[in-house]
Amino acid sequence: MYELMVICDGDLENAEARKAMDEVQGRISEIGEVASFDFWGLRDFAYEINHKTRGYYSVIELRAEPGAMDPVERYLRIADEVVRHKLIRLPDDEAQRRGLLGEESTNSH
């Protein structure tokens, strides 16, 4: 289980930011499964990033094998519309707390 936060360029239109996130979700679906997607919309940054002060925030919870997200991360590093991204592996107990683990994992308690 992973959590991916993506910040798209605040100079984009809302529809363009959503389209960029559709592309990211499509790439994830090729190698894993999107468990949840949350589009937070346009937010101010705490500090300037690449001469930008705002961006469109999205958070994706996903299931993928270790290392499977490498191509998606490579894409996010070079995508012009992406200002920042952060991928973290969720510890099993946190993934279970969020209801993201399958039945076989939750029955082991």
Side-chain angles (χ1 to χ4, degrees), residues 65-83:
E65 294 297 317
M69 284 294 291
D70 291 351
V72 176
E73 283 202 285
R74 211 171 4 267
Y75 166 76
L76 291 169
R77 280 194 295 277
I78 63 171
D80 290 335
E81 60 273 7
V82 175
V83 177

Side-chain angles (χ1 to χ4, degrees), residues 82-98:
V82 175
V83 177
R84 285 277 199 285
H85 76 278
K86 181 72 174 181
L87 177 70
I88 60 167
R89 183 187 174 284
L90 294 174
D92 289 344
D93 60 337
E94 177 61 17
Q96 184 173 350
R97 187 186 71 77
R98 294 182 189 194

